[in-house]
Amino acid sequence: MQVIETLAEGLKRELKVVIPAKDMEARMNERLAETKDKVRINGFRPGKVPFAHLKKMYGKSIMAELVNELVREKPTEILSERGEKSATQPEIAMTENEAEADKILNAEADFEFTLAYEIIPAIELKDVSGITVTREVVDIDEAEVTEQILKIAENARTYETKKGKAADGDRVTIDYLGKVDGEAFDGGKDEDAELVIGSNRFIPGFEEQLIGLKAGDEKVITVTFPAEYPAANLAGKEATFDITVKDVAAAAAVEINDDLATKLGLESADKLKEVVRGQIESQYGSMTRQKVKRQILDQLDELYQFDTPQRLVDAEFDNIWRQINTDLEQAGKTFADEDTTEEEARVEYRKLAERRVRLGLVLSEIGEKAGVQVTDEEMQRSLFEQLRQFPGQEKQIIDYFQKTPGAAASLRAPIFEEKVVDHLLSEVKVTDKTVSKEELMADDEEGASDTKKAAPKKKAAKAEAAEGEEAAAPKKKAPAKKKAADDSAE
């Protein structure tokens, strides 16, 4: 076999692979000899079929099998011998000329094919001891825990039917029929609907007009749908609702006690406080982690600058661009509404895609050198979380991850990335800083790099995924068959 490099430009490589016809014929003859005793041909005893006859009947089909095997197996072997890693699956090209192909199958011509791919650049790991991060932490006081418990209690509170008129905070049970220009519209009708006045569940102006009504009352109310209402056919329109009040109920007093805890499935009020405090700590901890991670990634971005495989960047950009356009469409907005143009947005999100790919490769290399592994137990927990999000679709999800190439990597990548971040946190300088919850939750827009301030500005958060900016690395190249992640790696 002869391997000739025909292109070496930046990260791009192209190879011409030539396997002489005589070698192909020798492989075919070996395969024919192996099948000689297995085939059954009328007129011949088993194992007594003349080789020439066997070759005439099965030679071309066996040669076709050999061709398929070679193009499937040789690229990996060749890249390994060259000490290269392909960023994506190499593109393989063979002759499309039927006459030439027929000669190859008859061992009358050399078998040639080309490999086109981009290599993953060699990354020399740098000292990260100079990286410093500030870890913002919030002290949770008793008042905040109590406030959260009261919100939970309000959702769990009971109501008792009362006589008289509905007041703010009462729960009314109503039938209603909505109309625009005198015609009923889809989704504008319900029966026995329960609504707490003041909950702001309905469009502005609706709930307030229920105050003063009592069971048995009927009323027509008029409201105007907000201009940004999701249903375009209703946005900004004036509508009327025919209302029939069927029940008015007053809310029971809210108290934090053992009875409330029991209603929520806990043994005591103290246990309820403990659980709520833990939830608050977890929420703040996630925000803290997000900001710490962004600081690490920003500084890694400054440390590492190298060319990135364009196919990976293209794929990552396509993912981001789809998300951005989906967000805009769902919001009913355009790039102009976000103070930018489509051209400017493309440039900025292209930078973001390049950053993600570069950081993904860096994290992958760091993790590999550090021996970071993702365990089967961690993978199972991740899969279980997927199943929890889609009840009733468990079988389809399991089938998807079992049968879809690369699907398991999508579970493994974020786990791997977080473990790499944990590893980095053990090597960089971390300083804790106590802040208020408002400071912790504040958008870190000023501290974000220009790359991450990609237009449309209001939609960048979705694409960056709570930094959240996932580092895109080659899925099949990361350690333990996982791909690395960045600002959320891949």
Side-chain angles (χ1 to χ4, degrees), residues 442-456:
D443 182 22
D444 192 22
E445 191 68 24
E446 292 184 2
S449 68
D450 290 340
T451 300
K452 294 198 286 295
K453 290 182 181 177

Side-chain angles (χ1 to χ4, degrees), residues 86-88 120-121 123 306 308-309 311-313 315-316 319 353-366 368 406 409-410 412-414 416-417 420 469-479 481-490:
S86 177
T88 58
I120 294 178
I123 299 173
F306 51 82
T308 51
R311 291 183 185 178
L312 288 181
V313 175
E316 186 61 25
N319 289 335
E354 290 174 353
R355 168 189 161 99
R356 289 186 181 182
V357 169
R358 185 171 58 255
L359 288 175
L361 294 173
V362 170
L363 291 179
S364 181
E365 187 70 15
I366 292 173
E368 185 173 0
S410 67
R412 186 178 285 107
F416 174 73
E417 173 180 309
V420 174
E469 177 187 323
E470 301 188 347
K475 299 181 180 179
K476 60 183 186 340
K477 297 300 179 185
K481 298 181 183 177
K482 70 183 125 327
K483 76 176 172 156
D486 126 20
D487 301 15
S488 262
E490 239 227 337

Side-chain angles (χ1 to χ4, degrees), residues 227-454:
E228 68 276 9
Y229 194 71
N233 63 314
L234 298 176
K237 297 285 185 66
E238 184 179 85
T240 61
F241 283 85
D242 299 338
I243 306 292
T244 300
V245 181
K246 304 178 83 170
D247 184 63
V248 176
V254 172
E255 295 183 75
I256 300 176
N257 52 30
D258 290 346
D259 288 341
L260 172 62
T262 301
K263 186 184 298 184
L264 296 171
L266 299 170
E267 57 267 30
S268 65
D270 288 340
K271 184 63 177 179
L272 175 58
K273 291 178 181 179
E274 178 186 331
V275 169
V276 171
R277 177 177 288 275
Q279 291 174 341
I280 296 173
E281 289 174 348
S282 178
Q283 291 168 359
Y284 289 157
S286 295
M287 296 177 194
T288 296
R289 171 79 173 196
Q290 175 182 311
K291 287 194 170 185
V292 166
K293 183 177 177 181
R294 174 175 288 190
Q295 292 175 62
I296 290 176
L297 293 172
D298 281 348
Q299 292 176 72
L300 286 177
D301 190 33
E302 294 176 0
L303 277 178
Y304 292 92
Q305 293 295 322
F306 51 82
D307 290 338
T308 51
Q310 288 307 296
R311 291 183 185 178
L312 288 181
V313 175
D314 290 343
E316 186 61 25
F317 172 79
D318 289 343
N319 289 335
I320 296 171
W321 196 245
R322 278 195 299 270
Q323 181 65 66
I324 294 305
N325 281 279
T326 297
D327 290 344
L328 288 174
E329 183 179 348
Q330 290 177 348
K333 295 187 176 182
T334 66
F335 287 100
D337 295 327
E338 300 294 340
D339 301 324
T340 188
T341 65
E342 181 174 344
E343 292 73 21
E344 290 174 341
R346 282 184 175 276
V347 170
E348 293 301 323
Y349 280 117
R350 184 80 185 181
K351 292 178 183 177
L352 178 59
E354 290 174 353
R355 168 189 161 99
R356 289 186 181 182
V357 169
R358 185 171 58 255
L359 288 175
L361 294 173
V362 170
L363 291 179
S364 181
E365 187 70 15
I366 292 173
E368 185 173 0
K369 291 295 192 295
V372 173
Q373 299 289 330
V374 174
T375 66
D376 290 341
E377 182 181 354
E378 289 168 331
M379 287 289 288
Q380 289 171 359
R381 284 202 300 268
S382 181
L383 177 58
F384 180 70
E385 286 302 314
Q386 291 283 329
L387 298 178
R388 285 183 57 190
Q389 293 178 36
F390 301 96
Q393 302 180 49
E394 291 82 0
K395 185 179 184 304
Q396 297 95 310
I397 293 172
I398 291 174
D399 287 345
Y400 170 77
F401 282 108
Q402 288 178 340
K403 298 176 182 178
T404 306
S410 67
L411 292 178
R412 186 178 285 107
I415 303 171
F416 174 73
E417 173 180 309
E418 293 305 320
K419 297 183 81 168
V420 174
V421 171
D422 287 337
H423 166 72
L424 288 170
L425 283 172
S426 69
E427 297 193 335
V428 305
K429 182 180 179 181
V430 181
T431 302
D432 286 346
K433 176 185 177 183
T434 301
V435 298
S436 67
K437 67 178 182 180
E438 290 77 19
E439 290 175 304
L440 178 64
M441 298 172 69
D443 182 22
D444 192 22
E445 191 68 24
E446 292 184 2
S449 68
D450 290 340
T451 300
K452 294 198 286 295
K453 290 182 181 177

